[in-house]
Amino acid sequence: MTSQSSVQTLLILGASGDLTGRLLLPGLARLAAKGRAGGLTLVGAGSDPWTPEQWLRRVETSFSDALSEADPVGKLELERIAGSTGYQQLDVTAGGELGTLLKELEGPVAVYFALPPQVSQKACEVLIPEEVPPGTRLVMEKPFGSSEATARELNNTLVGLVPEDHIHRVDHFLGKATVLNILGLRFANTFLEPVWNRNYIEKVEVIFEEDLALEGRARYYDGAGALRDMIQSHLLQIMALMAIEPPATVGERDLRDAISTVLRASSIKPPFSNTSRRARYTAGSISGRSIPDYVQEQGVDASRNTETLAEVRVEVDNWRWQGVPFILRSGKAMGNKRKEAVITFRPVPHLPAGFTGVDSPNQLRIGFGPDTLQFDVDVNGPGNILSLDRTTLNAVLSASDLLPYGEVLEGVLTGDPLLSVRGDAAEDCWRIVDPVLRAWSNGEVPLEEYDAGTTGPASWPGSP
């Protein structure tokens, strides 16, 4: 499959940073090797005084895995991009510098802000519309703003520069295959939709728990924490997909309209000591690796009280979901990796007398990366035919042939905003979590602790 690119030049700001080398360039390489970035010119820019040779080494290193796997045509394309790339040193927060560079590049240009959020915001504020050539696309990394007010301010700045459909607010966590897998499961199965509501579903959980600790990311993470980093940025989007009404099409307008409708109906209700929890990891071990206490990690300011594990209970106030809790949880340095949505159904209203063995309700689990499906059902036997045993039906769902950032970049290059968070949705995600953040800042919810490598604080209920 090939895609027609509407972008001629990809300009990466923050080209010397970790995000570019570790994620963006490998994602681009896989995309280009498969013939889905035809004719693209790559330009790097940053504040570091890199030489052309330094930039080329970074590109070639990041392209190496894709190059080793590519067919002859793909190899030629990767070599073409590497052979034509260049690096520019500039200060994006200085008026006129970015605008001047944009006018020198072959358009349309996609500008990827691989920068800290505050730097990206300043860079956009110093741009003036006359400096932005027609067709330019602006690509913003999460978190988009730091509150509902700042997200709205940034939205206003961006739409003063380019149209909304030329703004890509990146959600690399939710790939295109995952989106379509969830939609296909929900809306292509007649037996599922009639029970996908408050009458049959007891709760929905969206969980992202990783066995990685801080891993040198204190500069960003210690100012963000688990609630901002994952729940606000990503898990609310997955929750919305699980809760949307059936869209007419899987086109970006219908789908993003449906997502925004769910988010507008969503909130976390006070008191926040009942609807939110937070914790921070202490020293422990994960798979034989010694993990230091979070506050001893390099670059951490203990006075910030940054949480590494967060959980919130979101309510969706509409006809379908009234009274069903959506539990969103994300944590670092956990004992097990979990990236899944868990739908727990209500118990059967009556089990005929004589049956034994049922002690928990049915669950449907949708795993992310790789995408999987597990459905727990109760069946008779073996052995005593009156004894019901739990069995699990398993399936592996469709996977993308691209890396997550390759999917993001393909949407940018082809002008498909399906994987981009729309401006109103970005503001609503902050609206949902802002009251919790204020309550945490005021000390209304205690910051608990858990040993690295465990499932969380001992006082928290067990995971499903």
Side-chain angles (χ1 to χ4, degrees):
M1 188 179 96
T2 59
S3 302
Q4 184 61 44
S5 173
S6 61
V7 168
Q8 293 302 309
T9 302
L10 174 63
L11 170 62
I12 300 178
L13 306 179
S16 58
D18 175 69
L19 172 64
T20 299
R22 187 168 52 89
L23 297 172
L24 271 178
L25 291 177
L28 173 63
R30 179 86 65 90
L31 182 68
K34 294 184 176 297
R36 291 153 75 170
L40 184 71
T41 298
L42 171 66
V43 176
S47 58
D48 292 323
W50 273 22
T51 64
E53 291 75 24
Q54 282 178 289
W55 171 242
L56 181 58
R57 281 198 299 272
R58 158 156 281 200
V59 171
E60 290 177 340
T61 299
S62 299
F63 278 18
S64 60
D65 285 347
L67 192 64
S68 67
E69 300 170 359
D71 61 21
V73 175
K75 284 185 169 67
L76 287 174
E77 180 63 7
L78 291 173
E79 290 167 357
R80 181 196 65 76
I81 293 175
S84 62
T85 191
Y87 179 85
Q88 297 279 339
Q89 182 183 1
L90 80 163
D91 179 359
V92 296
T93 64
E97 290 200 22
L98 178 54
T100 299
L101 177 58
L102 286 174
K103 291 180 179 178
E104 296 173 353
L105 301 177
E106 181 182 359
V109 178
V111 185
Y112 201 111
F113 291 82
L115 298 164
Q118 63 273 20
V119 179
S120 297
Q121 184 154 352
K122 178 64 175 176
C124 293
E125 288 171 351
V126 301
L127 269 177
I128 59 176
E130 292 75 21
E131 294 176 327
V132 183
T136 300
R137 297 185 176 276
L138 304 179
V139 191
M140 313 299 294
E141 269 284 334
K142 58 94 177 170
F144 187 79
S146 57
S147 65
E148 182 183 8
T150 58
R152 182 175 296 113
E153 180 182 349
L154 183 52
N155 276 336
N156 291 336
T157 299
L158 294 175
V159 296
L161 299 172
V162 299
E164 169 64 31
D165 63 0
H166 281 51
I167 302 168
H168 294 258
R169 300 169 188 85
V170 169
D171 185 0
H172 65 271
F173 183 81
L174 199 55
K176 192 169 187 177
T178 299
V179 171
L180 296 177
N181 282 336
I182 293 174
L183 297 180
L185 174 68
R186 280 204 53 194
F187 302 124
N189 295 289
T190 306
F191 73 91
L192 204 53
E193 179 59 20
V195 299
W196 205 262
N197 55 55
R198 60 188 175 86
N199 296 322
Y200 296 94
I201 291 179
E202 186 173 274
K203 63 180 177 179
V204 178
E205 295 163 285
V206 183
I207 300 163
F208 181 84
E209 295 179 344
E210 54 184 340
D211 59 358
L212 296 176
L214 193 56
E215 313 296 330
R217 297 180 66 224
R219 182 179 176 186
Y220 160 70
Y221 192 87
D222 197 46
L227 181 55
R228 291 184 179 92
D229 181 52
M230 283 301 306
I231 293 177
Q232 183 277 142
S233 296
H234 302 309
L235 301 194
L236 280 169
Q237 296 292 320
I238 294 180
M239 182 205 80
L241 277 176
M242 305 298 293
I244 61 172
E245 296 300 316
T249 72
V250 293
E252 60 87 13
R253 182 172 179 180
D254 286 339
L255 187 56
R256 297 204 295 176
D257 279 350
I259 287 172
S260 290
T261 298
V262 169
L263 292 174
R264 283 196 300 272
S266 301
S267 63
I268 302 169
K269 301 286 196 303
F272 300 112
S273 56
N274 293 339
T275 56
S276 71
R277 298 189 292 198
R278 59 178 179 148
R280 181 169 64 194
Y281 70 79
T282 55
S285 65
I286 302 174
S287 301
R289 294 181 293 123
S290 293
I291 307 297
D293 194 306
Y294 177 81
V295 299
Q296 300 301 320
E297 296 265 25
Q298 185 176 0
V300 167
D301 180 352
S303 66
R304 286 190 174 126
N305 286 329
T306 300
E307 81 286 353
T308 60
L309 173 62
E311 181 180 291
V312 295
R313 186 173 77 228
V314 182
E315 295 183 26
V316 181
D317 292 320
N318 63 18
W319 187 284
R320 183 187 291 264
W321 296 114
Q322 190 66 45
V324 176
F326 285 78
I327 310 297
L328 312 185
R329 183 165 73 249
S330 179
K332 281 187 173 297
M334 308 299 287
N336 295 302
K337 291 191 292 185
R338 293 183 64 200
K339 191 161 60 169
E340 64 178 354
V342 183
I343 298 90
T344 301
F345 292 90
R346 296 189 183 281
V348 294
H350 173 70
L351 186 67
F355 281 116
T356 61
V358 176
D359 60 357
S360 61
N362 303 102
Q363 288 185 327
L364 175 66
R365 297 171 180 263
I366 304 171
F368 306 120
D371 289 5
T372 58
L373 184 69
Q374 295 182 318
F375 189 30
D376 295 336
V377 296
D378 294 306
V379 296
N380 298 63
N384 183 355
I385 197 64
L386 292 175
S387 177
L388 296 172
D389 290 331
R390 176 60 49 91
T391 190
T392 302
L393 309 180
N394 295 282
V396 176
L397 304 181
S398 177
S400 173
D401 58 351
L402 300 177
L403 297 172
Y405 271 88
E407 290 193 308
V408 167
L409 288 171
E410 184 173 43
V412 172
L413 299 182
T414 61
D416 179 7
L418 180 68
L419 297 184
S420 168
V421 177
R422 204 166 66 185
D424 59 335
E427 293 176 23
D428 262 319
C429 287
W430 279 115
R431 174 192 57 76
I432 292 167
V433 303
D434 271 353
V436 178
L437 290 169
R438 285 193 293 270
W440 289 5
S441 179
N442 294 334
E444 297 174 28
V445 179
L447 179 63
E448 302 180 63
E449 293 184 337
Y450 62 100
D451 292 342
T454 64
T455 59
S459 62
W460 291 27
S463 301

